Amino acid sequence: MSKPTSIKTSEAVRDRLRTLAEERGTTITDLLEELAGRELTEAEREQRALEAAREVGIDYTEQVQRAGQDAWERIRAHQGGAAA
């Protein structure tokens, strides 16, 4: 087991995390671990895009990469997240 640490956040975020955890019957720590494990980093998204392109026989050019990045931005915007 890893060493516990603290994360500073606003009271509103803390309260929301507490509510979400309670609704799921878990702890804030477990909820954060789940959320962090579910989200892909930019490097992981890039690697998956490269692998997917290979699987369907597409050359992963800069144009394809930009189109993929644009698609991710649109997805995040529709999910209410900040587009990168």
Side-chain angles (χ1 to χ4, degrees):
M1 182 170 189
S2 60
K3 181 180 172 185
T5 188
S6 297
I7 298 174
K8 292 186 184 270
T9 188
S10 69
E11 289 180 357
V13 170
R14 181 210 52 209
D15 293 345
R16 181 167 175 81
L17 289 169
R18 181 179 293 135
T19 299
L20 290 168
E22 287 173 358
E23 288 177 353
R24 290 167 174 77
T26 190
T27 64
I28 291 175
T29 298
D30 288 343
L31 177 66
L32 289 171
E33 287 179 8
E34 175 191 334
L35 293 171
R38 184 170 51 197
E39 291 297 317
L40 298 176
T41 66
E42 185 175 331
E44 290 166 335
R45 283 193 305 272
E46 187 69 20
Q47 182 61 36
R48 288 188 183 191
L50 179 62
E51 291 168 3
R54 267 194 225 128
E55 286 179 15
V56 297
I58 297 173
D59 288 331
Y60 195 64
T61 63
E62 284 186 36
Q63 183 180 8
V64 170
Q65 180 186 30
R66 282 193 304 271
Q69 289 170 342
D70 182 53
W72 275 111
E73 288 175 6
R74 290 172 186 257
I75 289 167
R76 283 191 296 274
H78 285 286
Q79 292 173 332

